[in-house]
Amino acid sequence: LTVLDRLPVQLPQVHSIEADVTDHNALRKAFTGQEAVVHLAAIPNPRTAPADVTFQINVQGTWAVLQAAEDCGVKRVIVASSVAALGLHYNPPGWGPQYLPIDEDHPQSPINPYGESKLAVERMLDWFGAAHGLLLWYGDILAVYAVVGLAWLHFFRERAGATRLRWAVALL
């Protein structure tokens, strides 16, 4: 397991690479020889950073991840999105889904720059996957404390024919 982050990760059996998610060359170096990429690096909510920083990290960072994966022959990528892309998080009271259960066809109406950045990422994933033949999965992660490793690779293998899958994980 290789982890790329701005800060070193010191865990047994983890290869740690210090780099920024927007650094395409560092990502290419890190992705060489990898089977899959799980992209979780992003501004996590609309309160963490100004809108311009949120777009730079979330949108440019995702492009750098996808392009580096494509450059290195990595064909499977998981990307964390947010219900904010649908306009269903950090929203005013009474602003709910148009129908339940929410599916891939639910209207997307983000109400802040963070949600717009996540919607831009989802649109990028759709066209990037189609244009470059990557198998991309993205989804909404709510309060996730994930252990990334063989479970993610199993997820990829089980859904090898899918090219778009909206998923959600909530750990209580």
Side-chain angles (χ1 to χ4, degrees):
L1 178 65
T2 300
V3 174
L4 185 141
D5 200 332
R6 292 181 302 155
L7 302 173
V9 175
Q10 297 178 357
L11 295 170
Q13 301 179 355
V14 172
H15 177 236
S16 180
I17 299 173
E18 289 182 62
D20 189 279
V21 70
T22 61
D23 185 343
H24 178 249
N25 289 330
L27 295 174
R28 282 185 27 212
K29 184 176 177 184
F31 293 174
T32 299
Q34 300 296 330
E35 181 180 343
V37 171
V38 178
H39 171 39
L40 302 175
I43 300 296
N45 64 60
R47 298 179 190 109
T48 305
D52 62 326
V53 174
T54 298
F55 269 84
Q56 173 68 19
I57 299 297
N58 292 0
V59 179
Q60 179 65 26
T62 299
W63 174 85
V65 166
L66 296 176
Q67 188 60 57
E70 202 269 330
D71 292 348
C72 294
V74 177
K75 294 293 186 186
R76 296 176 175 167
V77 180
I78 291 178
V79 178
S81 188
S82 170
V83 294
L86 296 168
L88 300 176
H89 197 29
Y90 304 103
N91 49 346
W95 185 287
Q98 292 187 10
Y99 59 84
L100 294 172
I102 296 170
D103 61 16
E104 289 84 0
D105 297 320
H106 192 279
Q108 295 176 299
S109 304
I111 61 168
N112 56 44
Y114 169 73
E116 282 292 341
S117 78
K118 290 301 192 172
L119 180 55
V121 163
E122 289 189 10
R123 289 181 176 156
M124 181 189 329
L125 291 166
D126 288 340
W127 63 255
F128 204 100
H132 298 280
L134 297 178
L135 296 176
L136 302 167
W137 292 274
Y138 57 89
D140 311 321
I141 298 180
L142 307 174
V144 170
Y145 301 93
V147 176
V148 179
L150 295 178
W152 287 107
L153 296 179
H154 176 72
F155 176 89
F156 278 131
R157 289 185 183 115
E158 290 295 313
R159 290 156 182 84
T163 57
R164 181 173 183 252
L165 176 67
R166 180 177 296 280
W167 48 275
V169 177
L171 301 179
L172 305 174

